[in-house]
Amino acid sequence: MTMSKPVYLAVYDTWADWETGHATAYLARAGYEIRTVGPSTEPVRSIGGLRVQPDLALDDVRPEDSSLLILPGADLWDTTDELAPFARKAREFLDAGVPVAAICGATAGLAREGLLDDRAHTSAVSFYLAATGYGGGERYVDADAVTDDTRGKLITAGPTEPVAFAREIFRLLGVYEGEVLDAWYRLFHDSDAEAYAVLEKAGAE
């Protein structure tokens, strides 16, 4: 079954291609269409050298047509303001009540946009975000991934937690829940072979 609204994966030069693979692969298996969105529809290259031609440009993405916006990390988040329009788009999504999930450097982009000042969040380390000069240091949580639902739903994670990042996305969208979600996380994070039996029984392997 294909879900009615796609998940948008932001892609831009130097995007960290390993950070979103678990999430997009299993969202697709659950019936979500994954559409890539770039600064334009011109091809971009990931930090690993993968060439991707975006399905559509950022200006053409509307929250009301979306299930989720995923923002991966990228070197450009910390070296230029070139990706600031993606942080502004995240604000648009959150204001419309549509979820956003940001990992690694994208969390710094959201911090600069002021989106973490009054939301619980995490990142690589607290002082990484502190360097942005943002006002949300007291809301920083030392955890693998954090979901905040105070004003819209926002997921944040650090660069070493792509599996926890995916876990929070699956929980938020109801892809997996309870024992099955826990088993999925244990399988891919801890290599727990016993968890596979739970997923196999649920048809989620």
Side-chain angles (χ1 to χ4, degrees), residues 39-196:
S40 70
T41 55
E42 291 299 309
V44 297
R45 285 196 182 275
S46 74
I47 199 168
L50 300 181
R51 182 181 184 275
V52 174
Q53 182 160 3
D55 294 315
L56 71 169
L58 183 64
D59 287 345
D60 296 326
V61 175
R62 304 190 310 167
E64 59 266 34
D65 298 331
S66 314
S67 292
L68 173 71
L69 173 65
I70 301 177
L71 300 175
D75 290 345
L76 291 181
W77 282 113
D78 295 320
T79 57
T80 74
D81 61 358
E82 189 175 323
L83 301 185
F86 286 89
R88 292 195 291 270
K89 182 64 71 171
R91 178 182 292 280
E92 184 182 334
F93 267 62
L94 292 169
D95 287 348
V98 181
V100 173
I103 186 170
C104 189
T107 63
L110 298 191
R112 295 185 187 96
E113 181 64 19
L115 293 175
L116 304 185
D117 287 353
D118 54 3
R119 292 178 170 92
H121 60 276
T122 194
S123 185
V125 287
S126 60
F127 56 80
Y128 169 63
L129 291 186
T132 68
Y134 84 132
E138 292 184 356
R139 303 300 305 276
Y140 186 89
V141 181
D142 189 11
D144 55 8
V146 171
T147 299
D148 181 275
D149 60 2
T150 53
R151 289 184 299 109
K153 295 185 184 296
L154 175 64
I155 295 170
T156 51
T160 61
E161 300 293 345
V163 179
F165 185 60
R167 179 197 65 208
E168 294 302 297
I169 290 172
F170 301 156
R171 191 200 315 273
L172 186 150
L173 295 180
V175 172
Y176 303 133
E177 298 175 328
E179 181 185 31
V180 175
L181 180 64
D182 178 67
W184 185 91
Y185 180 75
R186 287 188 290 111
L187 178 63
F188 287 96
H189 187 267
D190 304 324
S191 299
D192 184 348
E194 292 182 2
Y196 184 81

